[in-house]
Amino acid sequence: MNKLDSSLVVSALQEAGYDLTDSVRDADVVLINTCSVRGHAEDRVLSNLGHLKHLKKTRPELVVAVIGCMAQRLGPELLKHPAVDLVAGPSQLPQVPDLIAQLRGQHDKLLAITDDIRRPVSEAEDQALDTFEQDFDSDENQLPGQAFVRIMRGCNKFCSYCVVPFVRGPEQSRSPAAIVEQARKLSDRGIRQVTLLGQTVNSYRHVEGDRTVTLVDLLERISRIDGIHWIRFITSHPKPFDERIFQAMADNPKVCRYLHIPAQSGSDRILKAMNRGYTCDDYIRLIDGARRIVPDIAVAGDFIVGFPGETDEDFEDTCELVRRIRYKNCFIFKYSPRPGTRADQKLADSVAEEVKKRRNISLLDLQNKISEQENRNFIGQTVEVFVEGPSKNPHLNASETQALPQLVGRTGSDSIVVFPGPANLAGSFLSVRIAKASALTLFGEVAPQS
Ligand code: 5AD
Ligand code: SF4
């Protein structure tokens, strides 16, 4: 979501005549797009602002903008920071180019956030966000041939630990017509893979006349666009989950067989305290059902360790769930208390930092072992890969002696594949034969193309 927001703002500023620079020393304007999900992300922003404060001593004309979730959360408090000129929330991103122009004319601070974040979004606001989304959905700032398309904004789930409903506002589904038109325009520009984005993407719902358009309908409508070859969607919530989504994966070759579906914990007691709305058994039944319909579906998860009151037994239940599901990969986070959330208001952050750290490492170790075992099954197989470009961390590979650069791509089920090939393959589909596997990466060689 944040990558998409950054790329929209960059495109809008490029349209207004700005260029990107790699060095803050060359910049006239510095924008920091921010995440509030964990305290650590916010701490890094504050540390960056500390550096910028020094830079501004010698270059007072430098404009510094903090945009996104942290801007919405802290608003006026953040504007008081000596380095900060502009604070703009996620709903105010369309105004950012104008606000920066104003700041460069005179030199006053500006605040643009939503006053009452949980109030229903007005038609005008919604329209402004939609137009912004459509006008600046450039692939220039993303991977070649790929684009993100937001289908929903906000969240109504109110998981007790989570700040998102308080910074991104109420859940709202964009109109299917706007989404499909955007996908069509992207396809005309050469986009082959779209990733549909929403905080709870499977709860997409839009009333159109006397029927309700769901994610299943959207997948079907977008798959009718010839140029679009692969469609992904992230992130799903386990409840409620419409099983027709799995059927679409099974029947429609354009729908990638990949499901990112956070469980957050394997302990029913903790799931209840997290306000997740399902039990561990519900979750297992859902994934078992998915695998009956789509046997080769790749499942990825998120877990929070060290939630208030999490005991060794609760943590063991989480490990057991990870062993039972055999995820493709998991993102694991240490609980971070977020001001304003129910968990922070009602529950003490009782699990010691060393215990959180230990549980984090041990769950990651467990998952890595599973990922490695699962990845070994790919050895000898030929997989279809969408090529992203040169690999950023050239991995040691059987072909390391070859002259060609190492490219990185992904399979439809989101496995990372590294193989030697010419850089101009970025943005294309290829068959790759897998020769080696680690927990995180498959290694191979380009196979004869069918
Ligand atoms: N502390 C730690 N992790 C969190 N997440 C969300 N809120 C918190 C928090 N307060 C994690 C969840 C979510 C992912 C995006 O971030 O696992 O799925
Ligand atoms: Fe946060 Fe829960 Fe909404 Fe995900 S579903 S964004 S964890 S409140």
Side-chain angles (χ1 to χ4, degrees):
M1 209 54 105
N2 271 6
K3 274 192 192 171
L4 171 61
D5 283 341
S6 295
S7 117
L8 290 169
V9 171
V10 167
S11 298
L13 286 169
Q14 282 171 331
E15 179 91 0
Y18 290 86
D19 280 327
L20 277 172
T21 167
D22 287 336
S23 161
V24 79
R25 303 206 167 267
D26 297 335
D28 300 307
V29 180
V30 175
L31 293 108
I32 307 183
N33 190 16
T34 57
C35 171
S36 288
V37 165
R38 282 169 293 277
H40 180 61
E42 292 197 344
D43 293 344
R44 278 171 40 212
V45 172
L46 294 174
S47 132
N48 273 312
L49 288 175
H51 295 305
L52 288 166
K53 186 177 101 179
H54 289 297
L55 195 61
K56 278 189 84 155
K57 283 198 185 123
T58 49
R59 300 203 21 226
E61 74 289 357
L62 180 71
V63 170
V64 174
V66 180
I67 61 175
C69 294
M70 193 177 169
Q72 176 62 42
R73 193 176 86 75
L74 295 175
E77 195 183 322
L78 204 50
L79 201 64
K80 280 193 212 138
H81 192 289
V84 178
D85 301 296
L86 170 63
V87 170
S91 299
Q92 285 72 29
L93 297 186
Q95 303 163 29
V96 164
D98 277 352
L99 294 168
I100 288 178
Q102 284 179 43
L103 283 166
R104 297 191 73 200
Q106 33 144 38
H107 213 76
D108 255 350
K109 292 184 177 235
L110 288 173
L111 176 68
I113 57 171
T114 304
D115 285 340
D116 176 6
I117 190 72
R118 294 301 304 174
R119 71 159 160 72
V121 178
S122 74
E123 191 113 337
E125 226 174 347
D126 189 40
Q127 198 52 52
L129 285 167
D130 239 73
T131 308
F132 185 62
E133 207 103 40
Q134 306 238 23
D135 286 354
F136 299 112
D137 60 349
S138 151
D139 52 317
E140 249 170 68
N141 309 304
Q142 299 176 19
L143 293 167
Q146 305 193 23
F148 293 119
V149 175
R150 184 176 353 241
I151 64 170
M152 305 172 73
R153 305 195 178 93
C155 184
N156 287 351
K157 292 282 186 197
F158 289 99
C159 302
S160 64
Y161 51 81
C162 183
V163 78
V164 169
F166 304 100
V167 286
R168 291 216 174 237
E171 177 184 304
Q172 234 205 331
S173 296
R174 290 181 63 205
S175 106
I179 294 167
V180 174
E181 192 198 317
Q182 194 175 338
R184 185 165 291 121
K185 276 195 341 211
L186 287 164
S187 144
D188 290 344
R189 293 211 314 256
I191 294 294
R192 312 290 308 279
Q193 175 185 295
V194 292
T195 301
L196 310 182
L197 296 183
Q199 307 292 351
T200 58
V201 72
N202 54 316
S203 31
Y204 176 88
R205 237 156 218 85
H206 195 275
V207 178
E208 202 176 55
D210 55 2
R211 71 180 296 253
T212 302
V213 181
T214 66
L215 179 62
V216 176
D217 304 306
L218 265 191
L219 291 170
E220 206 273 318
R221 290 183 195 184
I222 296 172
S223 73
R224 280 192 237 137
I225 303 170
D226 282 342
I228 303 290
H229 196 76
W230 278 0
I231 311 167
R232 301 177 183 282
F233 54 90
I234 48 175
T235 290
S236 294
H237 190 282
K239 200 144 190 189
F241 201 104
D242 178 353
E243 292 211 343
R244 291 178 309 156
I245 296 173
F246 302 139
Q247 206 54 55
M249 275 187 195
D251 298 342
N252 188 334
K254 291 191 178 184
V255 180
C256 290
R257 297 173 166 207
Y258 170 73
L259 188 68
H260 178 223
I261 189 154
Q264 310 295 4
S265 171
S267 151
D268 285 346
R269 214 174 60 80
I270 298 293
L271 285 171
K272 193 156 192 283
M274 286 177 163
N275 191 33
R276 290 289 289 177
Y278 53 86
T279 63
C280 186
D281 267 356
D282 294 337
Y283 184 87
I284 291 173
R285 258 197 306 277
L286 176 69
I287 305 300
D288 284 352
R291 287 185 166 142
R292 265 194 298 278
I293 302 171
V294 191
D296 58 349
I297 193 170
V299 181
D302 290 2
F303 284 95
I304 297 175
V305 294
F307 185 82
E310 187 188 64
T311 61
D312 285 343
E313 289 73 41
D314 294 318
F315 177 64
E316 181 45 38
D317 288 346
T318 294
C319 296
E320 196 44 46
L321 179 64
V322 167
R323 282 189 281 265
R324 173 69 168 76
I325 299 293
R326 295 190 67 79
Y327 290 96
K328 174 192 153 288
N329 68 288
C330 281
F331 302 96
I332 301 163
F333 308 102
K334 290 180 289 178
Y335 171 71
S336 163
R338 305 313 296 135
T341 60
R342 270 239 322 274
D344 186 52
Q345 286 164 350
K346 299 246 156 79
L347 306 168
D349 182 13
S350 60
V351 179
E353 182 58 27
E354 310 89 75
V355 178
K356 286 183 186 171
K357 218 180 260 173
R358 184 155 31 84
R359 289 180 185 164
N360 191 348
I361 293 172
S362 120
L363 195 57
L364 247 166
D365 276 353
L366 170 62
Q367 178 54 47
N368 274 345
K369 285 196 188 94
I370 295 169
S371 300
E372 198 173 341
Q373 287 162 4
E374 292 295 315
N375 272 353
R376 260 191 245 127
N377 295 332
F378 283 99
I379 296 175
Q381 283 189 34
T382 298
V383 294
E384 195 182 11
V385 164
F386 191 54
V387 185
E388 293 183 353
S391 167
K392 283 204 191 85
N393 0 313
H395 305 254
L396 285 183
N397 189 358
S399 55
E400 66 197 278
T401 50
Q402 294 186 3
L404 288 169
Q406 299 274 295
L407 300 184
V408 64
R410 268 172 211 262
T411 65
S413 52
D414 206 50
S415 291
I416 298 169
V417 182
V418 170
F419 58 97
N424 64 3
L425 288 177
S428 58
F429 290 92
L430 269 187
S431 295
V432 175
R433 192 177 151 80
I434 304 305
K436 252 173 58 171
S438 71
L440 298 179
T441 317
L442 303 174
F443 302 93
E445 305 273 339
V446 177
Q449 303 302 299
S450 50

